[in-house]
Amino acid sequence: MQKYNKNNDPISVQLDTKTGVFFPCPENVDRFLSDFPYMFQEIDSVQEIIKSGDRKIYEICYYPFLTDNSDMALGVTTILSGTVGKQYHMTKGHFHERNDQPEIYHCVNGVGFLQMMDSDGNYFSAPWEKGTITHIPPQFAHRVINTGEQPLIFVAVFHISAGHEYDFIKDKGFKFNYYEVDGKPKSVLNPNWR
Ligand code: M6P
Ligand code: ZN
């Protein structure tokens, strides 16, 4: 995230849970397939999409609530519906740099799964629908999969100082991936895991 000014006064912001429009949005990040092609297993499909102009998979609006002695933040993420080959659209997924930092994820639209995994491979997958709120404990990587036909929109609450650590997931992937099989989501063991 960028650097922001501190503000010790209360602040309210506004989210339209149907569209994901968040106001004000001081920092918007779009993630395209070419930003994390390694997360998708069907390489021919990945290359074809990137060659024909790339595809936006999701976008994040970050809102930092910085005061003189706190660093709470919101992230509102909208994952577009779709698959790359048969693998559903998803976030990159990350651990926190700090090992004492949890996070709350709140699904406000759409359906899917929140995958969580520690570095020993202890794995959980929470089925998600509008209204599901999940506590992600410290030291669990987290990644969200959109398995529905609508955009999946979720609100994240975290401390900025938690930090993002992407390399573990980049190297090893997640233990399971989600594919569309006969029109339904199926969790399949990642062949590259360990
Ligand atoms: C949530 C928060 C953010 C995160 C975003 C997208 O909004 O956890 O910190 O950046 O999701 O996830 P990722 O960083 O894994 O792409
Ligand atoms: Zn996080």
Side-chain angles (χ1 to χ4, degrees), residues 31 58 60 62 75 77 92-94 103 105 154 156 158 164 166:
R31 291 226 213 281
Y58 64 104
I60 315 151
Y62 291 108
T77 302
K92 274 171 80 169
H94 60 272
E103 186 162 1
Y105 272 14
F154 69 96
F158 58 101
H164 295 87
Y166 291 103

Side-chain angles (χ1 to χ4, degrees), residues 70-84:
S70 63
D71 71 338
M72 195 64 100
L74 284 181
V76 177
T77 302
T78 302
I79 310 174
L80 302 174
S81 173
T83 58
V84 175

Side-chain angles (χ1 to χ4, degrees), residues 153-181:
I153 304 169
F154 69 96
V155 177
V157 185
F158 58 101
H159 288 120
I160 295 168
S161 61
H164 295 87
E165 205 293 302
Y166 291 103
D167 289 347
F168 183 99
I169 305 296
K170 187 175 181 186
D171 292 349
K172 298 196 165 66
F174 248 79
K175 200 168 178 180
F176 291 89
N177 291 316
Y178 275 99
Y179 295 89
E180 184 184 28
V181 178

Side-chain angles (χ1 to χ4, degrees), residues 5-160:
N5 293 334
K6 292 178 178 172
N7 185 341
N8 291 327
D9 297 330
I11 298 173
S12 297
V13 292
Q14 204 69 33
L15 170 66
D16 181 328
T17 56
K18 283 213 174 68
T19 61
V21 172
F22 181 81
F23 184 82
C25 180
E27 182 174 346
N28 193 83
V29 175
D30 288 334
R31 291 226 213 281
F32 287 81
L33 181 58
S34 60
D35 294 322
F36 60 125
Y38 48 82
M39 293 306 299
F40 293 88
Q41 303 300 308
E42 290 159 85
I43 292 158
D44 290 350
S45 303
V46 171
Q47 285 173 349
E48 198 182 301
I49 294 166
I50 293 175
K51 223 188 296 160
S52 55
D54 215 350
R55 181 193 291 174
K56 185 159 102 173
I57 307 288
Y58 64 104
E59 68 177 79
I60 315 151
C61 177
Y62 291 108
Y63 197 100
F65 298 101
L66 291 174
T67 75
D68 285 333
N69 41 32
S70 63
D71 71 338
M72 195 64 100
L74 284 181
V76 177
T77 302
T78 302
I79 310 174
L80 302 174
S81 173
T83 58
V84 175
K86 288 286 179 191
Q87 198 177 350
Y88 291 104
H89 286 182
M90 60 190 169
T91 58
K92 274 171 80 169
H94 60 272
F95 281 92
H96 292 158
E97 285 168 1
R98 275 178 57 175
N99 66 8
D100 62 348
Q101 287 297 306
E103 186 162 1
I104 304 272
Y105 272 14
H106 176 187
C107 178
V108 298
N109 194 66
V111 291
F113 295 89
L114 166 56
Q115 298 180 297
M116 291 161 282
M117 179 186 74
D118 71 14
S119 56
D120 295 326
N122 296 308
Y123 172 86
F124 299 82
S125 179
W128 259 24
E129 60 182 10
K130 177 180 173 176
T132 312
I133 302 172
T134 308
H135 173 246
I136 303 159
Q139 301 178 40
F140 273 84
H142 30 293
R143 179 173 85 173
V144 176
I145 319 287
N146 182 357
T147 60
E149 287 170 8
Q150 300 298 317
L152 191 160
I153 304 169
F154 69 96
V155 177
V157 185
F158 58 101
H159 288 120
I160 295 168

